Structures are given as C-alpha cells and as structure tokens.
Amino acid sequence: MDEKTRQALLDIVGEENFTENIIDLVSYTYDASSYEHRPDCALWAISTEQVSRILSMANEKGIPVTPRGAGTGLGGLAVPARGGIVLDVTRMNSILEICIPDRLAVVQPGVVYADLQSALAPYGFFFPPDPASGVVCTLGGNVATNAGGLHAVKYGTTRDYVLCLEAVLASGEVMRVGARTMKTSSGYDLCRFLVGSEGTLAVITEITLKIAPQPSHRATALAVFHKLEDAGQAVTRVMHSEVTPSVLELLDGSVISLLREHAHLDLPEVEALLLVETDGMTESYVRFQLTKIAEMFRGCNAAEVEVAATMREAELLWKARKSIGGMMGAIHLDYAPEDITVPMSQIATFLRRSEELSRVHGLDLFNFGHAGDGNLHTNILYDGKDPDQVARLEPLLYELHKLACDLGGTLSGEHGIGMTKAKYMPLEHDPTALKTMRKLKQALDPNNILNPGKMMLPG
Ligand SMILES: Cc1cc2nc3c(=O)[nH]c(=O)nc-3n(C[C@H](O)[C@H](O)[C@H](O)COP(=O)(O)OP(=O)(O)OC[C@H]3O[C@@H](n4cnc5c(N)ncnc54)[C@H](O)[C@@H]3O)c2cc1C
C-alpha cells in the first residue's frame, strides 16, 4: 500500500483504529476455517461515515476490502483472500433501540449475538436464530451469513427476522432498505437480497431485527432407534404433523459410538438418537405437544422414548448433543465440519449414502444436526499431516455435496459459501442463476473490491 493511501486511511479512522502490526495482521489472516491470507492493514470503523469514506477511497484505488465481525466463519468467509484492507466493525457495537410495541430492535453490526439476548431478556423477548457461536459472533456476521441454529426448525433463520438494513455500497454510497413494519410489498426486497451476501455486495452498518416473545416453558425427550430409516421416518412424521418442535436433533450411530469412546457417555449401541424439545407459554400445552411427538416416535419403532420430568433430567438428555464439540478435542484428528442440508424426507437416504461414500473413500465420518430442518452436520475425520488422507478428503467432500444437491438439498444450511464451498456452486445453481449472481455483483461492485475471491464471483 502506497504512503498516500496509508495516510488517507489514517486520516479517516485515526491512529487508534488503524493497524499494520504484524501480530494483529496475523490474527486477521484467519477465520475459523483452515484458509489463510494476510491483509495489508486492518481498520476498525466506528461510524457509517467512516465506512463510506473508506469504501469510496478503496473503490477509486481498486483496493480489496473484507468486512469482518468476530471471524468465527467456518468457510474462509472473512479471510482477506486478495489482501488489502480488513474492515473490522466490532467497535460499532451499540444497541440503538429496543421497541417492544413494534417488536423490533435496532443494532450496530458489531453487537455480539448474546449481548442482544441479554438486553432483550428483561422484556421477556428474544432474537431466535441461536447460532452455537452466539457468545462471540456478531449480528453483522449473522446477517451476512444468514446464520441459524438449533431452533430454526420452529423459528427460522436470521433472514426471517431482518426488517431493515443500512448498508454502504462499494462506491461509498449509503443505502437504507426495508421497513420497520411486519410486512411490506414495496419494491424489490433489497433487504433480503443482502442477507447471506457474505460481505461481497455491501458493508452492513445498521440492522433492524424483528424479535419474539420468549416462551416460558420447555419440555424435552430423547428417543432411541435401532434403525436409521425409522428415525428418518419419525422426523418426517413429526414435521408433517400439527405439532412443531422447537428442537429436533439427530445423532447417527457413528457419533453415538464416538461419544461412548471419547466422551465416556453411557449411550446405547443403536443407529440413531432423536432429541426433541417443545416450547410454549403454558406447561400443559408444552407437555401436550411432547406427548404427541413421543407417540409418533413410538409409532415409528422407537425402542425407547425417555421424557424428562424435570429440568435436571432434561439437562441429562441434552448431554450427548452438547458433548459433541468437546469430544472433537479429545479425538486429536482434523475434521471438516459441513452443514449440508436436504429435504426432511431425504435425511435417512443421505445418511445411508454418506456412510457408503465414507467406506468408498476410506475416511471416517459422522453425522449429527438439525434433523427437523434437514440441516446435517457431516463431519469427516482425517489426519491433516497424512498426504494420502488429505488427497482423499476433497473427492469425498465433492461427492457429499453432489449427493445433497441430487437429493434436492443445498450446499449450506447456515455457514455460508466463502472459499470452502465456492467450487461446488455449479452443483446447486444452474448456469443462468450463476450468471445472474455475477451480474448483480458487477452492478453493485464493478471494481470487485468487496470481499473478492469468494462464492465463485469475479475477483
Ligand atoms: C464453534 C462454532 C460454532 C458455530 N455454530 C454456528 C451455528 O450454529 N450456526 C451458524 O449459522 N453458524 C455457526 N458458526 C459459524 C459462524 O459463527 C457464523 O457464520 C456467524 O454468523 C459469523 O459471525 P462473525 O461475526 O464471526 O462473522 P465473520 O466470520 O467475521 O464474517 C462472516 C462473513 O460475514 C461478512 N461480514 C461480517 N460482518 C459484516 C458486515 N457488517 N457487513 C457485511 N459483511 C459482513 C464477512 O465478510 C464474512 O464474509 C459457528 C462457528 C464456530 C466457530
């Protein structure tokens, strides 16, 4: 970066919000994936005006700009693939408004997910998407990736809650889109268009989110299935019924046996477990829903359905699901954490075929995840120091993504595309759709400065 540009950036953000320090730059080289590329400098923007001036200058000079929240993306999303500037928005972290009568909250993009939850709790409200990284990830990152989580089966993902956005285009122009109303049919939906755009179309500087009343009661059950197909059938039956669970998670036989071995949990030797939770405003309604679901599980040959009578018992039922992250640390292997998503009716087929693919390619994998919305976390275990295993990883990943798309599914249910899945885009999107995405990118960012090198877009 030439001295004139450097000085102009310093003039915009001030010395305290500019860094070329090697330790800072190394930490901006990564996100939570294995991709890496070092930026030339990093800036902390503290206002929309600063973001606008930075982009306007970068656009003029053709300098890449990668927006960044907490850097927890799992697919090389916030990695500055072409160098240039990392634009960190975590210092824009104020909750600007909570308006219960309008059921909305207005936040800056650097607000951490969990901080919004804490601020909403005294009002009896919450923001439902619930990514597992919620204690650190930012709401800007959530919007840019359309984040979701355990409760998406009932409450949907971030996209369902974004009412308005303020965003800065590559040109530096500031755009406000959406409406503070629960519905709008006014013009193109530019708000939803920016959700999931992974920093490639604009930098989001203000977010208006719909919020929901926090349910006061929950009930939990765990069902044991000897056959995977019966568990798949049970998921389909529940999701076709009049009852919508707030959580419906599946653990396959491989992850169950890994949990027995590495987390020392006393789990049965079966092909699947289903964990279900119902929620609502009265104890009786929550119990009524759970009883209905337990009946459906039994009707699909569940060997056992354990219903928690107390919070403590519920915690014990959750233990297997919540131990998966910690167990990964104990295995001492690398793993590729996927978020392939298939139509609910195809879950059992996907799981069986993924087992076959694992055998064909000689790499172990296990599946768990949000069965209620078809979002499966397929984790492939491999030794990153073994060139032979690394060589087998890519063909297996390709086959798994192709399988998901062939079954009518999608490459990513919640993590996004970034660098990891860019090459698979043609498996899901037809040539005209891909061409349209490129034209839209070209229209908004003609010089390809915004997060270049991602999503199979030009740049
Ligand atoms: C342990 C762990 C668990 C996880 N669990 C989940 C989960 O359950 N569900 C889920 O959906 N994800 C999960 N993730 C992935 C990740 O946390 C989410 O994708 C999250 O939304 C990223 O937020 P972030 O603030 O870290 O964004 P970053 O990683 O910093 O950025 C992500 C993308 O958003 C863009 N971006 C960030 N801020 C802005 C902005 N203001 N304007 C424009 N673009 C922006 C970046 O350029 C990048 O492309 C998990 C990750 C980890 C490490």
Side-chain angles (χ1 to χ4, degrees):
M1 183 173 297
D2 62 67
E3 185 49 33
K4 208 169 145 211
T5 308
R6 188 177 169 278
Q7 192 54 51
L9 291 171
L10 270 166
D11 289 346
I12 296 171
V13 293
E15 274 199 30
E16 67 284 12
N17 289 317
F18 176 96
T19 185
E20 287 172 315
N21 174 301
I22 189 70
I23 295 173
D24 291 337
L25 296 191
V26 167
S27 63
Y28 285 120
T29 297
Y30 305 92
D31 65 359
S33 71
S34 55
Y35 286 90
E36 55 181 275
H37 197 284
R38 199 183 295 173
D40 298 319
C41 69
L43 312 176
W44 290 271
I46 58 166
S47 69
T48 303
E49 192 221 332
Q50 285 187 354
V51 174
S52 165
R53 288 175 64 197
I54 293 163
L55 290 192
S56 167
M57 202 190 83
N59 195 36
E60 212 174 280
K61 294 180 183 283
I63 303 170
V65 178
T66 302
R68 184 178 176 106
T72 65
L74 286 162
L77 289 89
V79 172
R82 306 281 182 264
I85 299 167
V86 164
L87 182 52
D88 183 326
V89 297
T90 53
R91 292 185 184 170
M92 295 175 74
N93 59 358
S94 298
I95 297 174
L96 303 171
E97 183 187 352
I98 292 176
C99 180
I100 300 299
D102 288 340
R103 288 200 175 204
L104 58 80
V106 184
V107 297
Q108 289 188 307
V111 172
V112 169
Y113 176 89
D115 291 345
L116 178 62
Q117 297 298 42
S118 305
L120 292 172
Y123 300 96
F125 273 72
F126 77 129
F127 172 54
D130 196 19
S133 50
V135 288
V136 281
C137 66
T138 65
L139 292 166
N142 295 166
V143 173
T145 58
N146 187 27
L150 283 169
H151 296 101
V153 56
K154 178 169 179 181
Y155 292 100
T157 60
T158 303
R159 177 168 280 131
D160 302 310
Y161 293 87
V162 180
L163 295 176
C164 313
L165 292 174
E166 177 190 82
V168 184
L169 301 177
S171 61
E173 290 166 287
V174 181
M175 170 171 87
R176 294 191 76 93
V177 294
R180 277 173 66 106
T181 50
M182 290 298 124
K183 54 200 282 200
T184 170
S185 301
S186 177
Y188 290 150
D189 192 344
L190 296 180
C191 204
R192 284 171 78 94
F193 172 53
L194 291 183
V195 178
S197 61
E198 300 184 12
T200 63
L201 297 177
V203 179
I204 296 156
T205 47
E206 191 186 290
I207 307 162
T208 304
L209 292 168
K210 192 154 65 167
I211 53 175
Q214 176 82 59
S216 48
H217 293 81
R218 294 180 198 288
T220 308
L222 186 74
V224 172
F225 292 87
H226 287 298
K227 287 194 67 183
L228 188 57
E229 285 71 14
D230 288 338
Q233 183 59 35
V235 171
T236 309
R237 193 174 295 182
V238 170
M239 297 314 294
H240 284 182
S241 77
E242 71 281 19
V243 182
T244 305
S246 50
V247 170
L248 183 49
E249 294 286 298
L250 180 140
L251 283 72
D252 78 356
S254 307
V255 76
I256 297 167
S257 77
L258 285 171
L259 282 165
R260 264 201 313 274
E261 189 182 341
H262 296 281
H264 312 294
L265 297 185
D266 182 19
L267 295 171
E269 281 187 44
V270 289
E271 288 196 347
L273 295 176
L274 285 180
L275 177 74
V276 64
E277 181 193 87
T278 55
D279 70 4
M281 290 303 177
T282 65
E283 173 83 28
S284 59
Y285 180 57
V286 164
R287 290 275 158 204
F288 165 79
Q289 293 179 95
L290 198 67
T291 307
K292 285 264 174 206
I293 292 174
E295 278 167 16
M296 288 184 253
F297 283 170
R298 290 190 190 97
C300 291
N301 305 322
E304 198 186 328
V305 183
E306 198 177 338
V307 176
T310 61
M311 289 284 281
R312 172 84 192 118
E313 284 182 20
E315 273 167 34
L316 289 174
L317 297 187
W318 269 95
K319 197 163 178 195
R321 175 64 179 83
K322 289 195 171 167
S323 299
I324 295 172
M327 174 197 80
M328 295 309 297
I331 291 180
H332 296 304
L333 275 174
D334 297 295
Y335 63 102
E338 295 302 326
D339 66 327
I340 281 163
T341 303
V342 294
M344 286 169 290
S345 59
Q346 301 298 326
I347 289 173
T349 308
F350 177 84
L351 294 178
R352 276 280 180 245
R353 294 220 204 139
S354 72
E355 284 173 357
E356 284 163 29
L357 288 170
S358 144
R359 275 193 294 277
V360 169
H361 292 273
L363 288 176
D364 288 336
L365 60 72
F366 62 86
N367 284 288
F368 68 99
H370 319 311
D373 56 29
N375 183 189
L376 296 162
H377 291 305
T378 304
N379 281 253
I380 303 162
L381 296 167
Y382 67 102
D383 180 353
K385 292 189 204 79
D386 178 343
D388 178 49
Q389 291 197 26
V390 174
R392 278 182 273 139
L393 178 64
E394 189 45 50
L396 174 55
L397 282 170
Y398 175 84
E399 295 285 349
L400 286 167
H401 287 90
K402 181 166 183 324
L403 171 61
C405 293
D406 289 348
L407 293 173
T410 176
L411 302 172
S412 172
E414 53 186 31
H415 298 161
I417 299 297
M419 296 165 88
T420 327
K421 294 181 189 245
K423 53 191 169 294
Y424 308 136
M425 287 288 274
L427 292 175
E428 178 174 352
H429 305 286
D430 67 41
T432 309
L434 287 174
K435 194 167 77 183
T436 306
M437 286 189 208
R438 290 188 191 121
K439 278 186 180 169
L440 291 167
K441 165 77 173 168
Q442 179 69 19
L444 267 74
D445 181 16
N447 298 325
N448 291 324
I449 63 153
L450 280 169
N451 206 2
K454 310 292 165 69
M455 284 171 69
M456 226 187 178
L457 292 164

